[in-house]
Amino acid sequence: MAEAPRTNYQTGVVKQIQSGDTVIVRGQPRGGPPPERTIGLSGITAPRLARRQDGDGESTDEPFAWECREFLRTLLVGKEVSFTVSANKTPSGKEFGSIFISRGGELQNVVDALLNEGLVEARKTGHQNEEMSRLCGLEDTAKAANKGKWGANPEKHIRAIKGAPDNLAQYVDKHHGKELSGVVEYVRDACTMRILLLPGFETVGVMLSGIKCPGFRRDDGGAEPFAAEAKFFVESRLLQRNVKLRIEGASNNFIMGTVLHPAGNISEALLQEGFGHCVDWSIGMVLTGKDKLRAAERAAKEKRVRRWKDFKPSAAATGTQKQYTARVMEVINADAMRVKLADGSSQKIFLSSVRGPRAAPAATSEDKRGGRQLYDVPYMFEAREFLRSKLIHKKVNITVDYVRPSQDGFPERTCATVLLGETNIAEALISKGLATVLRHRQEDEERSQVFDDLLTAENRAKKNTKGIHQKKEGAPIRVSDLSSDSTKAKQFLSSLQRQGRQTGVVEYVASGSRLRVFIAKDTSLLTLLLAGVSCPRAQSQRGGQTQEGEPFGDDALNFTRDLCLQREVTFTVDAVDRAGNFIGWAHVEDKNISLELVQRSLAKVHFSADKSQYSSQLYAAEEAGKKSKDKIWQNYEPPTEVPEETPVAEDKDRRVKYEKVVVSHADSSTSFYLQRVDNRGALEDLMDKLNTELATNPPTVGAYSPKRNDKCAARYSDGQWYRVQIEKIVSKEEIQVAYIDYGNKETQAVTSLCSLPASCSALPAQATQFSLACARSPLDEDWQDDSLIAFQSAVQDKELDMNVEYRVQGAAYVTLHDQSAEVTDVCKNLLLNGLLIVDKRRDRRLEKLVADYNDAEKTARSKRVAMWVHGDITADDANEFGFKKTQ
């Protein structure tokens, strides 16, 4: 390479090689991006590069155009050079001259290097001079050596460049996570550039993942603060340098990725210098190094460099994180939970930077009603269930990230990261598509400590179209409330009793003995009153006013809530009350909740426990509480005993002829339907025959025309067919029917009825109505309900001895006896518990029976049991207390 002649040189740094004979040289930066000069190399002609291909197809270079450009790029880009230019300049500002690079302390002309490699031709002009002769000599030497374009097969050195991939999304999926080699060809702004991928020569637009830098406005050509400086920062380090592009996603027509230079990650460098900031929408795409990006941003903020010169950290960002362990007692919704701390106090915790499923803004007030929103809003129930199944009654590690002060009527919020073992609960929830990441303002430092991990989980859920990210909108869960009214509850009672022990989740605890239970397999809700106990009433809010509770009512409520709220329980149903609440026994982890309450002196034993298998345990626990005078028994005084009266001799004219029966349905404690045990086999055969025949020959819907008093078949809520008699045609669509083999009644849709097969009509109705002899129901409606519940509990699933005592206008009045009970006479047992009133029958045959019943009633009165709790209220003074006399 020839030494440069002695002359006055200018110096600069090579910014870019436009072609094999055109170079852009810049000056040194002084307070901003430096000036640039485009210099065409004098005396040579380089092969022409093809234009960049933006559309479909390819465009090609002249032979060795790419090699020529690459030779210069490798030799010059980023290096300081000396150059001379002539006075001539094109209208576009291009100048012509020579560029020299220092080699061994001497300046060498780069044109000589190009000619020696056979990559360019010497330009021949009409006026031969010494310089032209020298250049032609170098060309002839290269030709003789068959170098470069002068060698064989120059067509093999033609580059075909391609535009962006036709299907960018498919291209990104194919190369996701891979590091592809390339050369940065153009920098639009600090975080947007064009890269030529090698060796395939695809040209792609790239945006840096996870960061945003100031840019240039297209409308007026203006620039955001630090835009030019940031662009120069990137150009001086990456333009026409070899880089690695890690492909991480796509946005519009750009590939989202990280650009890696041998000197490091350009994104980190931009953040450290205060040229950019992390952006939530794309940082989740970053595969590795998200924490380094955040750390670089924090370092720039601390130094208050460039865009952060006025930065003021929030209190949450400067404060220390508080860590502790607690037990999860309730999952309120997808982003909040109630935990119990080590000192026994409760705290409400919100998951940091998490937004659970929400109702649409246009939802009506009816759509937003109370607990129904849990089932009506798509994926809200699934999100709650995911957290409940993972966390309820488990110990978790809590790290408080920030505390949002109360504002706009909302209370203070403690937002935290919750870990179950090593699992981040928020990240697990979001990865299932059951919640989204809350987008914070850019200047908002109050966010999750693992915010970027949450964004990555969200992107993964979106890609896999999980949960709320599915294209199809989620549907609400249709939940049937079995306790919505008493009629509906009574219809489901027998079905629930037949199903026996069931599993459900306690959704709400209203008092110590009142639970709301969700049955997942039937997607139904019911209110369950704990059988066998009576709890003190807790404080409540009604009509905007606080209703004071009874002593220890709040203690009972809190105990039951901590024991079973949102936990799986097994329960059985014994009866239903007038308000549609089911009464039954519930167990959590084999613990009888009723017994647990009594053992802690938070409830009294209710008379309905007498016939249960738990009666001895309950009474033993109650007696222990009375002796210790703990809680509700602190003022307890033992009652005085009533001396027994001389029994009346049994009248010999009373006829006793027992029949074995079971109670199939009860309208009240004194009016019920019985099935004779001797006929149960025939009834079971008939039911099998009826359901088999209708299953084999399904009836046509709507073909049956109902008529009053007709006997037909009806499909009950359990899906089985039963024999019924039509009592009343309510409307064209609804019919009131009576189940002739069981005694219960309900309103059925006409479409659920069909003709009774002839083979199933011969057997007489198996349910017969009877009334309890010598007894009347309580006057007060509330005690009537309790009386019914006690009766149902006493007779349920038991074979009883029935004796007809007398008849009134054809109606039979009977006594029922349970031989397995301590007091065998069912009526006498209810009288002893203060739940029936003796009906004074003047019949010598019943004198002994009535006397026994009177003694039982007197015992209940003296002990102030049930309806006698306020004294001796009888039919004679019922009006004084507002009761209606019975006829």
Side-chain angles (χ1 to χ4, degrees):
M1 187 180 290
E3 183 181 354
R6 302 292 179 182
T7 185
N8 293 325
Y9 296 108
Q10 302 180 59
T11 60
V13 176
V14 176
K15 171 187 174 182
Q16 184 177 9
I17 306 299
Q18 287 190 325
S19 66
D21 56 8
T22 304
V23 180
I24 296 179
V25 179
R26 65 170 174 82
Q28 295 296 335
R30 290 181 177 85
E36 300 175 356
R37 301 174 75 172
T38 303
I39 300 175
L41 298 178
S42 299
I44 61 172
T45 300
R48 296 184 62 183
L49 290 166
R51 285 191 169 188
R52 180 172 61 89
Q53 185 68 29
D54 290 324
D56 298 333
E58 300 177 345
S59 58
T60 58
D61 300 334
E62 291 182 355
F64 281 95
W66 172 250
E67 287 85 343
C68 183
R69 205 252 2 212
E70 282 297 278
F71 179 84
L72 274 188
R73 184 183 70 83
T74 305
L75 183 65
L76 299 180
V77 169
K79 297 178 181 177
E80 186 172 338
V81 297
S82 300
F83 63 92
T84 61
V85 293
S86 64
N88 298 328
K89 184 183 292 188
T90 66
S92 64
K94 182 178 180 180
E95 302 173 276
F96 294 92
S98 299
I99 296 178
F100 303 91
I101 187 169
S102 178
R103 289 282 180 89
E106 298 181 352
L107 294 179
Q108 306 292 334
N109 193 333
V110 297
V111 168
D112 294 359
L114 290 168
L115 287 168
N116 286 333
E117 296 297 325
L119 297 174
V120 296
E121 297 180 21
R123 183 180 290 127
K124 282 79 173 178
T125 63
H127 301 283
Q128 191 80 8
N129 56 36
E130 183 180 351
E131 178 64 15
M132 183 183 297
S133 298
R134 190 181 70 81
L135 297 179
C136 288
L138 294 174
E139 180 182 303
D140 291 339
T141 302
K143 286 180 179 180
N146 293 322
K147 283 190 173 183
K149 62 184 293 182
W150 312 116
N153 303 318
E155 67 277 0
K156 292 184 179 180
H157 296 270
I158 297 175
R159 179 189 65 145
I161 63 173
K162 306 169 187 176
D166 294 335
N167 191 326
L168 188 62
Q170 186 177 359
Y171 183 87
V172 169
D173 288 341
K174 179 180 178 181
H175 298 284
H176 187 264
K178 297 179 181 178
E179 293 184 2
L180 306 182
S181 299
V183 176
V184 177
E185 294 291 316
Y186 169 69
V187 176
R188 190 183 80 181
D189 55 51
C191 59
T192 310
M193 60 196 71
R194 185 170 65 244
I195 297 179
L196 180 67
L197 298 177
L198 301 175
F201 299 111
E202 297 100 345
T203 303
V204 295
V206 175
M207 293 180 66
L208 297 178
S209 301
I211 72 167
K212 178 71 173 65
C213 294
F216 301 89
R217 295 189 296 271
R218 294 185 178 182
D219 51 357
D220 59 1
E224 297 174 348
F226 305 108
E229 189 178 350
K231 178 181 178 182
F232 173 73
F233 182 86
V234 174
E235 284 182 336
S236 62
R237 288 159 175 78
L238 294 188
L239 186 60
Q240 288 202 332
R241 269 54 163 215
N242 291 324
V243 297
K244 293 285 187 180
L245 170 63
R246 184 167 62 225
I247 296 180
E248 295 168 331
S251 176
N252 296 327
N253 294 322
F254 288 91
I255 287 177
M256 304 297 298
T258 298
V259 176
L260 302 171
H261 185 270
N265 184 339
I266 190 62
S267 298
E268 290 181 35
L270 284 165
L271 292 171
Q272 287 172 345
E273 294 298 324
F275 284 122
H277 62 272
C278 296
V279 287
D280 298 342
W281 72 269
S282 65
I283 199 169
M285 300 180 185
V286 178
L287 298 177
T288 59
K290 290 189 286 288
D291 53 341
K292 293 182 179 180
L293 297 183
R294 294 288 186 186
E297 182 184 57
R298 282 195 299 272
K301 289 178 178 179
E302 292 172 359
K303 295 178 182 178
R304 290 176 171 78
V305 56
R306 294 186 175 86
R307 65 167 290 142
W308 305 113
K309 63 180 180 179
D310 299 322
F311 172 73
K312 294 181 180 180
S314 64
T318 58
T320 57
Q321 293 177 335
K322 183 180 179 183
Q323 296 182 340
Y324 53 91
T325 300
R327 187 181 297 276
V328 178
M329 305 306 295
E330 179 184 5
V331 177
I332 300 169
N333 51 42
D335 56 9
M337 62 191 72
R338 182 175 62 88
V339 299
K340 178 178 280 189
L341 306 180
D343 61 1
S345 62
S346 292
Q347 183 181 21
K348 190 175 182 180
I349 293 292
F350 292 84
L351 295 178
S352 300
S353 304
V354 173
R355 180 181 176 86
R358 294 288 192 273
T364 64
S365 59
E366 292 182 0
D367 293 329
K368 295 181 179 180
R369 60 192 183 280
R372 299 295 301 193
Q373 191 177 12
L374 175 66
Y375 311 106
D376 293 342
V377 177
Y379 298 106
M380 181 178 284
F381 177 76
E382 289 86 345
R384 200 291 307 268
E385 275 299 281
F386 176 82
L387 293 181
R388 186 196 66 79
S389 61
K390 298 283 186 185
L391 299 180
I392 205 69
H393 269 243
K394 301 280 183 64
K395 282 189 175 181
V396 295
N397 297 315
I398 297 172
T399 302
V400 177
D401 296 319
Y402 55 94
V403 177
R404 285 279 168 86
S406 57
Q407 58 182 356
D408 301 328
F410 291 97
E412 181 181 85
R413 285 188 170 199
T414 299
C415 301
T417 297
V418 178
L419 298 180
L420 179 64
E422 299 296 324
T423 302
N424 185 331
I425 291 302
E427 185 178 356
L429 182 71
I430 291 171
S431 66
K432 295 289 184 181
L434 299 175
T436 56
V437 181
L438 185 65
R439 265 49 180 185
H440 300 273
R441 297 188 306 274
Q442 185 57 46
E443 66 276 9
D444 188 1
E445 293 293 302
E446 296 182 341
R447 58 180 65 196
S448 170
Q449 59 179 294
V450 290
F451 185 79
D452 297 333
D453 293 338
L454 302 186
L455 290 172
T456 301
E458 183 180 66
N459 289 334
R460 188 164 60 247
K462 286 181 178 178
K463 183 177 181 180
N464 296 326
T465 61
K466 289 186 176 182
I468 58 180
H469 304 297
Q470 294 186 39
K471 295 179 180 178
K472 185 179 179 181
E473 185 177 354
I477 299 175
R478 303 299 180 189
V479 177
S480 175
D481 190 349
L482 306 186
S483 297
S484 57
D485 62 73
S486 58
T487 303
K488 186 175 184 179
K490 290 177 181 177
Q491 292 174 0
F492 281 93
L493 175 62
S494 58
S495 176
L496 291 170
Q497 290 174 335
R498 283 195 296 271
Q499 292 179 47
R501 183 167 294 228
Q502 299 186 73
T503 301
V505 174
V506 177
E507 293 284 9
Y508 180 69
V509 178
S511 70
S513 59
R514 183 184 294 263
L515 316 175
R516 285 283 281 172
V517 181
F518 176 74
I519 308 173
K521 67 183 180 68
D522 299 326
T523 58
S524 59
L525 276 169
L526 58 81
T527 300
L528 182 69
L529 303 182
L530 295 179
V533 295
S534 176
C535 273
R537 186 179 67 253
Q539 179 178 296
S540 61
Q541 293 287 334
R542 292 185 182 179
Q545 295 183 347
T546 301
Q547 301 290 325
E548 292 297 328
E550 297 174 343
F552 302 102
D554 290 340
D555 293 338
L557 169 62
N558 292 331
F559 173 79
T560 304
R561 181 186 289 152
D562 289 347
L563 179 64
C564 65
L565 181 60
Q566 290 190 344
R567 301 184 72 183
E568 287 191 354
V569 296
T570 56
F571 67 96
T572 56
V573 172
D574 292 344
V576 65
D577 68 7
R578 182 170 57 92
N581 302 310
F582 294 93
I583 297 97
W585 302 90
H587 293 74
V588 55
E589 292 184 347
D590 295 329
K591 294 179 181 178
N592 185 330
I593 303 176
S594 299
L595 181 59
E596 293 291 320
L597 284 163
V598 176
Q599 287 175 339
R600 286 160 178 77
S601 296
L602 293 172
K604 299 178 181 180
V605 179
H606 192 264
F607 58 83
S608 59
D610 292 350
K611 298 296 183 180
S612 75
Q613 58 181 311
Y614 311 107
S615 60
S616 59
Q617 294 173 281
L618 289 169
Y619 281 115
E622 185 178 62
E623 285 301 318
K626 289 177 180 179
K627 290 179 181 178
S628 64
K629 293 195 173 185
D630 187 24
K631 297 185 177 72
I632 62 174
W633 302 112
Q634 60 185 7
N635 298 321
Y636 172 75
E637 294 295 337
T640 56
E641 295 186 0
V642 178
E644 295 185 1
E645 297 184 3
T646 304
V648 179
E650 179 72 48
D651 193 282
K652 296 182 179 180
D653 292 333
R654 181 186 173 216
R655 299 179 60 185
V656 177
K657 184 180 180 181
Y658 290 120
E659 293 182 76
K660 290 289 185 183
V661 296
V662 293
V663 178
S664 58
H665 176 73
D667 292 326
S668 69
S669 58
T670 57
S671 180
F672 40 83
Y673 286 82
L674 301 179
Q675 295 174 337
R676 288 175 168 80
V677 173
D678 293 343
N679 294 342
R680 295 191 73 179
L683 177 59
E684 290 174 0
D685 293 341
L686 179 138
M687 290 298 299
D688 290 341
K689 183 188 298 183
L690 175 62
N691 282 277
T692 300
E693 186 161 337
L694 291 179
T696 305
N697 302 299
T700 303
V701 177
Y704 177 69
S705 298
K707 295 181 181 179
R708 188 178 179 186
N709 295 325
D710 275 2
K711 292 182 180 179
C712 60
R715 189 189 293 274
Y716 192 56
S717 57
D718 61 1
Q720 298 293 310
W721 291 94
Y722 295 87
R723 299 194 304 172
V724 299
Q725 184 171 2
I726 296 174
E727 292 197 333
K728 181 181 179 181
I729 298 177
V730 180
S731 66
K732 292 182 179 180
E733 292 80 21
E734 293 185 327
I735 305 295
Q736 183 175 310
V737 298
Y739 290 82
I740 62 176
D741 296 316
Y742 294 89
N744 53 313
K745 300 177 182 179
E746 70 172 354
T747 300
Q748 281 270 21
V750 174
T751 54
S752 64
L753 305 179
C754 71
S755 298
L756 188 65
S759 60
C760 301
S761 59
L763 186 69
Q766 292 300 292
T768 306
Q769 187 172 16
F770 293 92
S771 297
L772 210 55
C774 303
R776 291 183 287 120
S777 295
L779 304 174
D780 181 76
E781 291 184 354
D782 290 336
W783 291 117
Q784 289 175 13
D785 291 339
D786 287 351
S787 179
L788 173 59
I789 293 168
F791 176 79
Q792 290 172 327
S793 177
V795 303
Q796 182 182 350
D797 298 329
K798 293 184 178 180
E799 290 188 4
L800 306 172
D801 292 330
M802 177 198 74
N803 185 60
V804 178
E805 302 294 346
Y806 56 90
R807 296 179 184 271
V808 177
Q809 296 179 351
Y813 289 76
V814 300
T815 52
L816 298 174
H817 293 264
D818 176 10
Q819 301 301 334
S820 64
E822 183 179 351
V823 179
T824 61
D825 191 322
V826 174
C827 179
K828 183 177 180 179
N829 188 46
L830 292 174
L831 288 165
L832 287 169
N833 284 286
L835 292 170
L836 285 180
I837 299 173
V838 177
D839 185 14
K840 306 286 193 298
R841 296 282 305 176
R842 295 185 179 181
D843 189 335
R844 288 183 58 83
R845 294 181 302 108
L846 304 174
E847 186 175 348
K848 172 63 169 60
L849 181 65
V850 173
D852 283 346
Y853 285 179
N854 280 328
D855 290 343
E857 184 180 291
K858 288 178 182 178
T859 300
R861 290 182 185 185
S862 65
K863 292 183 178 182
R864 300 292 180 90
V865 178
M867 78 170 88
W868 311 113
V869 67
H870 297 299
D872 185 6
I873 301 176
T874 63
D876 295 332
D877 52 10
N879 287 336
E880 179 182 347
F881 289 89
F883 296 143
K884 181 181 179 181
K885 289 188 178 183
T886 57
Q887 301 297 323

